[in-house]
Amino acid sequence: MKKLILSLVLLASLFQAKADEGMWLPMLLGKQVYNNMVKKGLKLSKDQLYSINHASLKDAILIFGGGCTGEIVSNQGLIFTNHHCGYGAIAAASSVQNNYLRDGFYAYNKDQEIQSQLTVQFLDRIVDVTADVEAGLKGLSWADRQKKLQEVYKSITDKVADKENGLSGRIYSMFKDNQYLMYVYKVYRDIRLVGAPPESVGKFGGDTDNWEWPRHTGDFSIFRVYGSKDGKPADYSKENVPLKPKHFLPVSIKGIKDGDYAMIYGYPGSTNRYETSYGIKLKNEIENPSLVALRDMRLKFMHEQMIKDPAVKLKLASDYAGIANYWKFFDGETKQLTKFNTFGQKQQFEKDFAAWAKGKPEYENIFTEYDKNYAAWTPYSKHRQYLREGILGSPLSAFASSLIALETALTKADASAADIKKAMDAADAARKTFLAAEDMPSDNNILAAVAQAFHRDIDKSQHPAGVYDSLAKYGSLDDEATYKKWAKDVFANTMILSNDKWSAFASNPTAGVLQADPAFAFAATFVKNYNTKYAPLYTAFVSKNNELGRSYLKGIMERDPKAAKKMYPDANFSMRVSYGNVKSYQPRDAVYYDYVTTAKGILEKYVPGDYEFDLPSKQVELFKKKDFGQYIDTARKDLVIAFITTNDITGGNSGSPVIDAKGNLIGLAFDGNYEALSHKIAFDKDLNRTICVDVRYVLWCVDKLGGAKNLIDELKLVK
Ligand code: ARG
């Protein structure tokens, strides 16, 4: 009996949404979830949250670019998202002369808005396609299912694809392949940059403050979606007009209180709340520490050059931010998983599951199988990280390895001249893109360091044949200077970095010349070694894990059908809604964190001339004068910068609207807190917080700092 109680408690705490845990499917909100939202303070009907018959909140939410969320805030297609989501587009629009990334940018009329390469996607509808997917896979073994899956998906999405109206479908596996949903999107492709704060505001606190509360970052940027005159998606054109949205969010400047209702719509990218103890062990012991150590190295070399030269800074900024973001994340994730003993909790849960599964053929061997599967892959896991984050973490090496496609065309017996030309042209175009982003001094150091790290840390039996023998000609393989000398030679001699040599090669490409290139030879040898010997093992490992995961989750639901009704599927970049409250917290004993930060705190952190904590001088002046206008928080007599909520979100939600009980925008979600960085695997009901920039600070920046009253006038302000 005691055991039973223990296991039920564990089941509840591990898998069933508790407190404000849960990333819910907006079109499948159960009665209970909706009632909980109302209990928390929601004042909207279910239909106002999501409807396919008339405009609802979901129509104001969009996928921004490749991996963020944005929201429509005016009847002229104005979009709010995070600064770190618009970052690449802002950097791309910048030059050393017109440095919008550094200085900020506002369009004071629509003609000044800047074209970008971005797309945004609106959700048109969601369809349950489980039966169609299962019909397409009927009778297949697991391995064959995996092989056929994309083909079956395509046959289903082809039926809804509509080029003329920009509609396309994407199928998401839910509950680890126990359910399939198709989301149909309308994709717009004329997206223009409208506004961004200076980087010192948009990334205030830099990587020091990243993933941390208390926070003072003005993490917002502004874009606009354009379509054809009849509202259809279209390529960029002067004739296009701002999109008239089905719904846009009014913006509330009334301010927030501790305990207020907060709801977040958006596109969380990935979670693995049903991860096993085996997965956590591999992550904590091998995957995360390897990635962190290698990124640490690369970042150091990039930073060294970026602080010397604004042109290099602009060139590397976006890549640097992305690498740094998940460097800190994965470091913190392992620290928090260890602190919470998530491994131990999962083990206990698995023990109880195994006891229940005894005598049930479908489930009783799951953990023996997991054990075998992890044991088979673990010896190669570090190698995989060192290839991806190390060897291919050198941009030159990564580009060189992409030339394997050209080598294949050149060595194929029956390749036609047209095939070769096609491959050569593709390589030529890719090289131009590579060169535009290449910073040789940092890359040279990275190449030397990753070559040495691989040699030192990866089991000799897994080294690609020959590479280190030829490197040994430069000196002892235990000596850093050896790798430096070698890397310098690679950079001096590769045709990839010499226009003359490359042109000569491109006019008459041969496999021999390509294979003799030192950068290609190095990178290709590592990639081929991995692809032939280890990639098949990895594919088998992942496939088996998926198969086991599907049964495991099915078993969990079968074991406790009541709890199963309250389950939500793992995040997978499909639209979700999460509800909770504005709320303070206690990160450690005797420490209390307020639920808002203010202008006063910005001035406390401000370090003139600092790489991360500088500010525009105009901002400092206005703050000292307390010139906050209508954006002031009357209770605090200060400008509120950011606030925290209990919402369950993750990467991909960046830029998501934080919405009050009545459907008004109160902030933009932009981060998670350090104390709960284990959130992809386990939600902590006491410590998990979402960090949001207060919309009043956003508007203050636009209005007082940027002077873009034209944008404020476009909004529907709720006062
Ligand atoms: N941690 C934020 C997120 O993943 C990104 C913040 C970007 N800022 C930075 N300093 N790298 O949504």
Side-chain angles (χ1 to χ4, degrees):
M1 186 63 196
K2 212 166 176 189
K3 194 156 184 180
L4 181 70
I5 291 172
L6 180 70
S7 69
L8 281 179
V9 169
L10 265 168
L11 178 73
S13 67
L14 272 176
F15 293 114
Q16 180 192 330
K18 250 182 76 179
D20 300 328
E21 173 175 354
M23 301 175 177
W24 307 99
L25 294 166
M27 97 304 185
L28 287 176
L29 277 188
K31 214 184 159 91
Q32 197 171 356
V33 174
Y34 176 71
N35 288 345
N36 282 340
M37 292 169 109
V38 172
K39 235 189 272 164
K40 287 237 160 213
L42 177 68
K43 298 275 187 291
L44 301 174
S45 70
K46 235 171 145 173
D47 235 30
Q48 288 173 299
L49 295 180
Y50 181 96
S51 166
I52 46 167
N53 300 317
H54 54 80
S56 59
L57 273 185
K58 78 118 172 56
D59 295 310
I61 318 301
L62 48 90
I63 296 179
F64 184 84
C68 277
T69 303
E71 54 276 0
I72 300 287
V73 291
S74 86
N75 62 3
Q76 301 170 57
L78 197 66
I79 298 170
F80 279 2
T81 186
N82 286 152
H83 185 260
H84 77 263
C85 294
Y87 202 76
I90 302 164
S94 301
S95 62
V96 175
Q97 291 74 32
N98 289 316
N99 200 333
Y100 303 136
L101 190 69
R102 187 189 60 203
D103 306 330
F105 167 80
Y106 286 99
Y108 298 104
N109 58 57
K110 296 203 177 74
D111 289 339
Q112 294 175 352
E113 297 176 357
I114 302 173
Q115 184 184 352
S116 78
Q117 300 301 314
L118 291 158
T119 61
V120 304
Q121 308 182 42
F122 291 90
L123 175 60
D124 189 68
R125 61 191 189 272
I126 305 173
V127 193
D128 191 328
V129 292
T130 311
D132 308 80
V133 174
E134 288 302 343
L137 299 173
K138 208 167 159 183
L140 295 180
S141 71
W142 183 265
D144 291 337
R145 259 180 91 97
Q146 299 290 89
K147 275 186 216 142
K148 197 146 180 238
L149 197 59
Q150 292 310 322
E151 194 184 308
V152 172
Y153 280 3
K154 192 170 175 307
S155 70
I156 299 169
T157 53
D158 274 352
K159 288 186 204 135
V160 297
D162 172 354
K163 231 178 162 173
E164 150 102 29
N165 290 299
L167 291 174
S168 70
R170 191 179 320 152
I171 297 179
Y172 297 87
S173 152
M174 302 289 179
F175 297 111
K176 295 200 189 280
D177 290 332
N178 284 289
Q179 185 188 23
Y180 298 92
L181 296 181
M182 174 167 66
Y183 282 46
V184 181
Y185 296 107
K186 198 166 207 176
V187 187
Y188 283 84
R189 50 191 193 274
D190 182 356
I191 312 302
R192 303 185 195 171
L193 173 62
V194 174
E199 192 182 16
S200 56
V201 172
K203 204 181 167 179
F204 184 78
D207 292 312
T208 303
D209 272 9
N210 191 19
W211 301 112
E212 313 255 2
W213 181 258
R215 189 69 156 277
H216 299 81
T217 311
D219 200 344
F220 75 92
S221 60
I222 307 176
F223 291 80
R224 192 187 304 280
V225 47
Y226 283 78
S228 66
K229 286 208 173 71
D230 49 2
K232 288 183 184 166
D235 289 333
Y236 173 86
S237 149
K238 280 206 162 53
E239 309 305 312
N240 287 347
V241 295
L243 180 74
K244 264 202 133 2
K246 281 195 202 157
H247 183 72
F248 67 89
L249 301 178
V251 177
S252 169
I253 56 169
K254 283 182 167 165
I256 45 159
K257 293 187 309 297
D258 206 354
D260 277 358
Y261 179 82
M263 177 165 69
I264 296 181
Y265 268 74
Y267 284 87
S270 71
T271 56
N272 199 356
R273 298 265 162 92
Y274 311 101
E275 179 60 292
T276 62
S277 61
Y278 299 93
I280 294 175
K281 188 172 156 70
L282 184 68
K283 191 178 232 325
N284 279 344
E285 292 179 1
I286 299 177
E287 291 172 348
N288 284 3
S290 304
L291 175 144
V292 170
L294 292 161
R295 288 196 174 197
D296 205 47
M297 213 151 76
R298 289 156 57 197
L299 289 167
K300 195 180 99 225
F301 292 129
M302 292 167 85
H303 188 75
E304 215 169 72
Q305 304 303 326
M306 286 164 71
I307 52 172
K308 281 198 251 177
D309 180 350
V312 176
K313 153 91 196 205
L314 268 183
K315 210 191 260 190
L316 297 184
S318 190
D319 278 349
Y320 183 90
I323 298 167
N325 192 28
Y326 276 89
W327 153 76
K328 190 163 177 183
F329 177 88
F330 285 119
D331 191 41
E333 181 183 53
T334 284
K335 287 194 179 116
Q336 303 309 332
L337 286 169
T338 308
K339 186 182 80 191
F340 293 131
N341 186 24
T342 313
F343 174 76
Q345 289 181 42
K346 295 277 185 181
Q347 266 194 327
Q348 182 61 49
F349 182 79
E350 287 157 14
K351 229 169 108 187
D352 294 337
F353 181 91
W356 169 83
K358 231 185 171 98
K360 299 184 179 68
E362 204 182 343
Y363 304 118
E364 68 181 343
N365 294 320
I366 285 183
F367 293 108
T368 333
E369 297 275 308
Y370 266 123
D371 199 48
K372 262 202 286 187
N373 200 35
Y374 274 88
W377 170 250
T378 298
Y380 312 107
S381 158
K382 194 168 182 176
H383 181 141
R384 179 168 177 272
Q385 288 295 65
Y386 271 64
L387 178 68
R388 290 157 55 98
E389 295 286 338
I391 302 298
L392 300 178
S394 149
L396 173 65
S397 176
F399 172 72
S401 77
S402 77
L403 297 176
I404 291 177
L406 176 60
E407 185 196 30
T408 308
L410 291 172
T411 46
K412 215 158 129 200
D414 56 351
S416 66
D419 291 342
I420 292 175
K421 184 173 179 323
K422 204 170 140 200
M424 188 63 236
D425 288 349
D428 202 47
R431 176 176 174 263
K432 288 201 177 86
T433 311
F434 158 73
L435 287 180
E438 173 67 350
D439 173 60
M440 289 198 255
S442 56
D443 197 1
N444 198 321
N445 289 332
I446 290 171
L447 185 67
V450 296
Q452 181 173 17
F454 192 101
H455 180 263
R456 185 188 55 225
D457 297 342
I458 299 304
D459 200 279
K460 297 273 174 295
S461 65
Q462 295 174 30
H463 288 190
V467 172
Y468 287 105
D469 294 336
S470 46
L471 240 145
K473 289 178 198 131
Y474 292 83
S476 158
L477 290 173
D478 297 327
D479 200 348
E480 192 184 340
T482 305
Y483 298 89
K484 285 200 162 150
K485 261 188 262 167
W486 162 80
K488 211 168 146 211
D489 252 16
V490 173
F491 272 76
N493 293 313
T494 176
M495 63 180 175
I496 294 170
L497 297 171
S498 152
N499 288 335
D500 289 346
K501 283 190 204 164
W502 181 265
S503 308
F505 167 71
S507 61
N508 177 27
T510 66
V513 173
L514 181 58
Q515 287 157 348
D517 185 87
F520 177 78
F522 174 79
T525 308
F526 277 91
V527 170
K528 288 177 192 168
N529 176 54
Y530 178 82
N531 282 352
T532 48
K533 292 192 194 147
Y534 308 109
L537 301 178
Y538 183 67
T539 308
F541 166 71
V542 171
S543 164
K544 187 75 197 173
N545 255 1
N546 290 346
E547 181 180 0
L548 291 169
R550 182 186 202 229
S551 315
Y552 183 33
L553 198 53
K554 189 160 167 265
I556 288 170
M557 297 196 272
E558 206 173 296
R559 182 180 168 210
D560 188 346
K562 223 173 119 203
K565 281 203 179 135
K566 286 179 267 173
M567 272 167 62
Y568 58 92
D570 264 317
N572 54 7
F573 209 57
S574 58
M575 185 193 277
R576 303 298 172 93
V577 59
S578 132
Y579 63 94
N581 297 95
V582 174
K583 203 170 173 189
S584 51
Y585 73 110
Q586 269 199 282
R588 322 179 267 289
D589 189 30
V591 178
Y592 168 82
Y593 277 164
D594 206 348
Y595 65 97
V596 293
T597 55
T598 60
K600 179 171 168 271
I602 293 202
L603 292 177
E604 285 168 4
K605 282 185 180 174
Y606 168 52
V607 181
D610 187 74
Y611 192 74
E612 296 183 314
F613 292 93
D614 199 7
L615 283 174
S617 50
K618 184 172 172 191
Q619 176 155 355
V620 177
E621 260 168 59
L622 293 172
F623 274 14
K624 284 191 176 153
K625 280 196 288 192
K626 291 194 180 277
D627 185 353
F628 303 139
Q630 62 175 337
Y631 312 112
I632 192 168
D633 189 276
T634 44
R636 296 199 179 231
K637 300 198 174 43
D638 203 341
L639 182 64
V640 167
I641 305 299
F643 63 89
I644 42 173
T645 68
T646 58
N647 292 80
D648 186 4
I649 69 158
T650 190
N653 268 117
S654 281
S656 287
V658 189
I659 299 171
D660 70 7
K662 292 182 179 156
N664 303 314
L665 184 72
I666 52 175
L668 272 57
F670 71 93
D671 213 356
N673 61 331
Y674 201 82
E675 296 83 4
L677 276 193
S678 44
H679 74 251
K680 284 194 182 285
I681 292 171
F683 179 92
D684 188 275
K685 67 179 177 40
D686 299 315
L687 292 176
N688 190 88
R689 290 296 178 275
T690 286
I691 304 177
C692 319
V693 56
D694 193 298
V695 80
R696 291 170 295 173
Y697 181 46
V698 172
L699 302 192
W700 182 89
C701 290
V702 172
D703 183 344
K704 296 272 177 177
L705 197 59
K709 291 231 165 36
N710 54 312
L711 299 178
I712 306 287
D713 291 343
E714 235 188 280
L715 307 171
K716 184 172 161 192
L717 292 188
V718 179
K719 303 188 189 182

